[in-house]
Amino acid sequence: MLWKNNYASKNQFSNYICAMITDLRSDTFTKPSPQMLEAMFTAAVGDDVFGEDPSINELESMAASLFQMEAAIFCPSGTMTNQIAIKCHTQPGDEVVCDKLSHVYIYEAGGIAFNSGCQVKPIAGDRGRLTADDVLEAINPHDIHKAHTALVSLENTANRGGGSCYEFTEILEIRERCLQNNLLLHLDGARLWNALVAKGETPPQYGEVFDSISICLSKGLGAPVGSLLLGKKDFIQKARRVRKVFGGGMRQAGYLAAAGIYALKNNINRLEEDHLHAKQIAEALIKKDFVGKIMPVETNILIFELKESFTAKSFEEELARSGILSIAISPSQVRMVTHLDITPEMVKTLLAVIKAL
Ligand SMILES: *Cc1c(COP(=O)(O)O)cnc(C)c1O
């Protein structure tokens, strides 16, 4: 056992190994910093199912006031906040309109059908984004043969769109169409902070136009666990019951909420650095013959095609030999995601590795 010769414990050894690895597979791989851990260890906690966890209560009201929305609820995952929102906004047999690359459609294990008994109308949008015309076209007429169109779900940034961002004016147009047609509007804002920073937008802009917003604390913000769902008071009240049904009512989860509070206070402005890193990596890749199309890099996600000497898988394996982890998301596409555990030094090394390939 290698670690026994040089390290006090297996933990210390695996920490050392982790520090050596540049993990660009996702921004979900971040580990809590010592300061975040300190905030977690010293959190005041109570039973949140009884509404008595002071840290969760603080996080929920902090988020609600950031977005100038009425209320918020803390949940274990972004999948859960999305699924709760869809459940609260629909009846079985309804149709949900979203881009065909949406997380709610392709990465939530069929949850829309399973949890809400709804079907999806998947739209081929532009890099994961819909236009107001897309939405208008997708609405079913009042016809007893047709499913009732109830909800539009947008994603910003769009993960499979390579971290693409909406123009806020388009969102306003979509909102208008929804109002005219009695549709509710949900935002999967797992990476909304990245969009806000990239576009110079503010949370209240979004709070004003969406019926519900889901945001993740465990992506670019670097918390280990947790997402928030925001909306009107009665919607969040309903969401509390659905969260219980889904098994997401937690007890002394204030330890987790404390990480979220720390993340909201400290880790938003630095997202700019992640965006810069992603652009630097793209600039190095673009010079290589074996790299095909690179999706425009708007935030912290890079999706690019491999050709000639590499398949996505063989490129992933080649980088892994230098301790750099990426992920093949299709036979020809690789994804890299920058985040707060990716240092400028790591990016420098990666650029040199790419240059040498
Ligand atoms: C990560 C992610 C979610 C939620 O994922 P969880 O792992 O369940 O927290 C939702 N939407 C998008 C776009 C995501 O990238």
Side-chain angles (χ1 to χ4, degrees), residues 128-254:
R129 299 162 304 176
L130 302 180
T131 63
D133 287 343
D134 290 335
V135 169
L136 201 57
E137 236 172 83
I139 301 168
N140 287 334
H142 295 291
D143 173 337
I144 58 161
H145 299 87
K146 301 280 185 176
H148 169 243
T149 310
L151 175 68
V152 175
S153 181
L154 307 182
E155 191 174 304
N156 201 20
T157 71
N159 172 21
R160 280 302 301 257
S164 59
C165 303
Y166 271 90
E167 293 301 331
F168 195 72
T169 47
E170 196 64 45
I171 292 178
L172 290 176
E173 292 279 325
I174 292 173
R175 175 61 176 169
E176 200 56 37
R177 300 295 177 281
C178 287
L179 286 173
Q180 286 160 355
N181 292 279
N182 254 333
L183 302 184
L184 293 165
L185 185 58
H186 171 70
L187 177 67
D188 176 355
R191 295 190 181 82
L192 181 60
W193 299 108
N194 295 89
L196 295 178
V197 166
K199 291 285 195 186
E201 297 162 344
T202 65
Q205 279 179 275
Y206 282 76
E208 205 183 332
V209 296
F210 284 93
D211 294 294
S212 54
I213 297 178
S214 158
I215 56 167
C216 284
L217 301 162
S218 59
K219 299 264 162 89
L221 292 197
V225 178
S227 287
L228 287 155
L229 180 62
L230 297 122
K232 288 218 155 37
K233 263 201 183 105
D234 54 348
F235 167 82
I236 294 297
Q237 200 47 43
K238 202 168 158 187
R240 281 190 196 283
R241 186 186 294 268
V242 175
R243 184 183 68 175
K244 200 77 183 78
V245 175
F246 287 179
M250 298 185 286
R251 304 296 176 172
Q252 287 73 30

